[in-house]
Amino acid sequence: LFLLVLLWPGLMEPEYHNTIFKKLCSGMNCLSADQRETLQQWLQQVKPPMLRDAIVAFQQFITIYVNEYRCIDDHVASATKVLGILWASNRDCKRVCYKEFYNDAINELVDFTEDFSRWKDTQRCSFSFCAHPFVLDPGTKSKLLQLDANNQMRSQIRGALFRSIFGGNECPYLIFRVRRDNLIRDTLLQISALHSQHEDLKKPLKVIFKGEEGIDEGGVQKEFFQLIVRQMFDLNYGMFTHDEESHCFWFSATALENAREFNLIGKVFGLAIYNSVILDVHFPMVVYKKLMGCKPSLEDLEDCNPQLARGFKMLLEFDGDVEETFARSFVVSYEEYGTVKTLALKPGGDDIAVTNDSRHEYVELYIKYLLEDSIAQQFGAFAEGFHEVCGGPALRMFIPEELELLICGNPSLDFHALEEVTSTEDGYSRDHPVIVNFWTVVHSMTLEEKKKLLFFCTGSDRSPIRGLGSMTFIISRNGPDSDRLPTAHTCFNHLLLPEYRDMNKLRRCLMTAIINSEGFGLM
């Protein structure tokens, strides 16, 4: 009965909201766990258009109440919980995009500082949207994660100040003093020194490049993360391999002695999230799935090794004698220090032929070896370091696709959106000739040049989750026309631009500045 009413087109009509709709929500929320599980299994058989209509009906009901009545009452809570049943039925066999569960009214109108407090204190209130994160978009989840991080940072600062008053000096910040030419070793030594003081990783981060005068108000740490990630993923360092077709990095199965380094990389990723820094990394989606506890599949192999995935698909779809045509056994071959070695995928695998009946098992065992067993030690150390810094309930709100956005930022660089939100100061205005020339030059740049400009102005060449239009960006006049190059306060996304006499000079000086933008000094 519940399934029939859920799929009834009349649920879309507001005239039934106060009758059938509310009774449906009330009844479904009284189902036992077993009954809910059975309903979810039935819903998995529903065709995508019908499931989508049911989702739209509940989104419409929630939106009307949140948007028009500005209230989050028992009816909104009840409808959100039923939407959760639809979400669960779609989670494993994705027939509808996860983005269709996001609710714009909730993300735009709800006070999430208050909602987060309710979520943390279940004694105070039994319902919060944080407990139903499928309706929250990545931007909202990012704010909640940062809210949680800021709360922990304030707690650590207060604790450090209290202990310094009664027990000696203790810095309220986590300070890394590093050399550019020895970045990984310096960072590893300083993180290792915190082995018995993991709570120090929860302090706000400050980075000092030895021999440089830059004061870290955010910009220095951005460059620190950019540089250390670049060095860690250098193929000469031996930590990762690179697939030329997918352009993705993967954990090196032969880097068995580098557990500390992989743990460091995990901590670096965690610290970047914790301190709101976006990283330029190119992992396949399966890495984010594994971080969130999901099991890899053939679909995941397509991201990190497309050629092998195509071969497996050909094997699985082959309409003939597999044993005779492919002549494979249950072994995997791999190269280690120039020598090809083999490993049995199951006991006696060397002597077990892959047949039509056993090919699915062979593919499953091969994928398990490649994506799990062969890198278990390396990935385990990486995941441990990552979760040690930023793991917890707030991070568990994210699904793997959203976690990638959180770490890597929005792949779209919309400089027209950035132009719309840019502020001008010290004599410049939106229609000032220099500002008009500046945006003309920017919009004519290649993608790589735009990334360099973004890095020069903000300390990162990545866009926030909500896009460049969500950034604060300021352009100030920095004196009259001169040969002085543009400069920037990366901590504040603030560009200082002299009043160049024409567009050609502006282009020449700007390009010179952004091409030589690494390093910090005081002006």
Side-chain angles (χ1 to χ4, degrees):
L1 178 62
F2 283 127
L3 183 62
L4 290 174
V5 180
L6 267 175
L7 304 177
W8 179 50
L11 284 182
M12 303 278 283
E13 301 300 327
E15 64 187 277
Y16 295 112
H17 281 179
N18 287 318
T19 54
I20 297 174
F21 200 101
K22 289 181 178 179
K23 288 181 180 179
L24 172 67
C25 292
S26 178
M28 289 186 66
N29 280 294
C30 291
L31 293 174
S32 66
D34 289 341
Q35 289 171 329
R36 208 159 31 239
E37 179 67 28
T38 301
L39 180 58
Q40 286 171 195
Q41 291 174 3
W42 288 347
L43 283 166
Q44 288 174 1
Q45 310 306 316
V46 173
K47 294 180 180 179
M50 297 180 73
L51 178 63
R52 187 175 290 109
D53 286 344
I55 294 168
V56 170
F58 280 87
Q59 294 284 35
Q60 179 178 277
F61 177 85
I62 294 168
T63 298
I64 289 173
Y65 266 77
V66 173
N67 199 17
E68 294 187 13
Y69 303 131
R70 298 298 173 101
C71 69
I72 303 171
D73 59 10
D74 291 342
H75 300 304
V76 171
S78 184
T80 303
K81 291 174 184 177
V82 175
L83 193 59
I85 296 175
L86 298 176
W87 162 263
S89 74
N90 186 66
R91 185 171 47 210
D92 296 327
C93 47
K94 297 180 175 65
R95 291 150 298 148
V96 174
C97 179
Y98 63 90
K99 294 180 182 179
E100 297 197 32
F101 288 89
Y102 297 156
N103 186 287
D104 291 341
I106 292 173
N107 286 287
E108 293 170 8
L109 300 175
V110 170
D111 179 353
F112 278 101
T113 302
E114 173 65 22
D115 193 80
F116 186 78
S117 298
R118 290 200 303 269
W119 182 52
K120 286 286 192 178
D121 184 7
T122 52
Q123 301 280 331
R124 179 179 157 207
C125 182
S126 61
F127 177 81
S128 73
F129 287 114
C130 291
H132 303 84
F134 51 85
V135 297
L136 309 181
D137 64 32
T140 297
K141 291 177 184 177
S142 176
K143 286 182 179 178
L144 290 166
L145 188 67
Q146 196 54 47
L147 177 64
D148 189 38
N150 290 340
N151 288 341
Q152 293 185 57
M153 286 180 182
R154 281 194 291 268
S155 175
Q156 287 300 320
I157 289 173
R158 283 195 300 269
L161 292 173
F162 181 81
R163 289 188 291 272
S164 67
I165 291 172
F166 294 100
N169 286 333
E170 181 177 336
C171 181
Y173 297 98
L174 171 63
I175 299 177
F176 288 163
R177 293 178 173 85
V178 295
R179 294 165 291 176
R180 287 181 181 272
D181 58 354
N182 215 358
L183 198 57
I184 293 179
R185 178 173 172 77
D186 287 353
T187 306
L188 180 61
L189 288 173
Q190 290 173 74
I191 287 182
S192 298
L194 301 173
H195 183 69
S196 60
Q197 299 170 293
H198 294 314
E199 66 274 5
D200 282 1
L201 293 170
K202 301 291 187 179
K203 294 177 179 177
L205 177 65
K206 300 286 184 182
V207 177
I208 298 172
F209 284 110
K210 292 181 180 180
E212 299 183 27
E213 297 176 306
I215 298 172
D216 192 3
E217 294 295 339
V220 181
Q221 66 175 245
K222 287 180 187 177
E223 185 175 10
F224 163 77
F225 282 113
Q226 291 277 349
L227 294 175
I228 196 168
V229 165
R230 188 190 305 166
Q231 290 186 24
M232 286 174 169
F233 283 86
D234 188 324
L235 296 181
N236 293 322
Y237 197 57
M239 303 284 287
F240 296 95
T241 59
H242 185 260
D243 185 82
E244 293 296 330
E245 185 177 350
S246 67
H247 305 295
C248 286
F249 288 91
W250 186 246
F251 296 80
S252 173
T254 60
L256 296 174
E257 301 83 21
N258 300 68
R260 288 176 66 206
E261 283 86 347
F262 281 112
N263 187 266
L264 166 65
I265 295 172
K267 285 188 170 78
V268 165
F269 272 57
L271 284 168
I273 291 176
Y274 198 67
N275 290 272
S276 302
V277 177
I278 295 168
L279 300 178
D280 182 14
V281 294
H282 301 275
F283 273 145
M285 181 56 65
V286 66
V287 171
Y288 305 104
K289 286 185 175 181
K290 284 165 66 70
L291 281 173
M292 301 308 289
C294 303
K295 285 286 183 183
S297 64
L298 177 56
E299 179 184 301
D300 297 314
L301 185 64
E302 292 177 15
D303 284 341
C304 51
N305 195 329
Q307 184 177 358
L308 184 59
R310 285 194 295 270
F312 282 152
K313 279 192 171 183
M314 185 186 301
L315 172 67
L316 293 173
E317 296 169 359
F318 182 70
D319 186 19
D321 190 324
V322 168
E323 183 177 0
E324 182 179 334
T325 305
F326 289 88
R328 292 193 183 189
S329 57
F330 275 75
V331 296
V332 58
S333 301
Y334 63 95
E335 185 176 322
E336 186 175 304
Y337 304 115
T339 303
V340 176
K341 297 185 177 182
T342 59
L343 179 76
L345 292 171
K346 59 190 291 188
D350 306 68
D351 302 318
I352 302 175
V354 178
T355 66
N356 290 61
D357 293 333
S358 66
R359 55 184 167 181
H360 285 278
E361 181 191 9
Y362 169 73
V363 170
E364 287 174 5
L365 289 173
Y366 207 121
I367 291 172
K368 182 176 181 293
Y369 170 77
L370 284 178
L371 302 185
E372 296 185 73
D373 299 344
S374 67
I375 57 153
Q377 183 177 333
Q378 297 88 324
F379 184 83
F382 169 78
E384 180 184 21
F386 176 79
H387 286 293
E388 190 176 316
V389 180
C390 68
L395 186 72
R396 287 196 289 272
M397 291 183 189
F398 290 79
I399 60 174
E401 292 84 354
E402 295 167 341
L403 181 61
E404 181 184 29
L405 272 178
L406 179 69
I407 293 174
C408 304
N410 193 319
S412 174
L413 295 180
D414 186 350
F415 276 80
H416 289 284
L418 182 61
E419 180 180 0
E420 287 299 314
V421 299
T422 297
S423 303
T424 53
E425 294 180 350
D426 301 326
Y428 281 156
S429 62
R430 294 178 65 86
D431 56 357
H432 191 285
V434 171
I435 300 300
V436 173
N437 287 342
F438 171 79
W439 288 113
T440 301
V441 170
V442 169
H443 295 316
S444 69
M445 288 179 173
T446 65
L447 178 59
E448 284 307 309
E449 289 169 344
K450 287 177 178 177
K451 286 185 176 181
K452 288 181 181 294
L453 172 65
L454 198 58
F455 181 82
F456 175 75
C457 296
T458 70
S460 171
D461 64 0
R462 317 292 287 181
S463 168
I465 283 182
R466 292 185 183 272
L468 293 182
S470 66
M471 284 178 53
T472 298
F473 185 56
I474 304 167
I475 304 176
S476 294
R477 182 178 181 272
N478 193 27
D481 177 44
S482 68
D483 291 329
R484 187 178 186 183
L485 298 178
T487 52
H489 297 304
T490 55
C491 310
F492 308 107
N493 302 342
H494 190 173
L495 176 64
L496 306 175
L497 191 66
E499 193 173 349
Y500 296 118
R501 64 175 178 266
D502 57 47
M503 189 187 302
N504 288 334
K505 186 173 184 180
L506 188 153
R507 185 193 306 274
R508 185 176 69 253
C509 292
L510 184 62
M511 294 303 296
T512 302
I514 67 175
I515 290 169
N516 301 278
S517 62
E518 199 168 284
F520 284 84
L522 293 177
M523 292 180 292

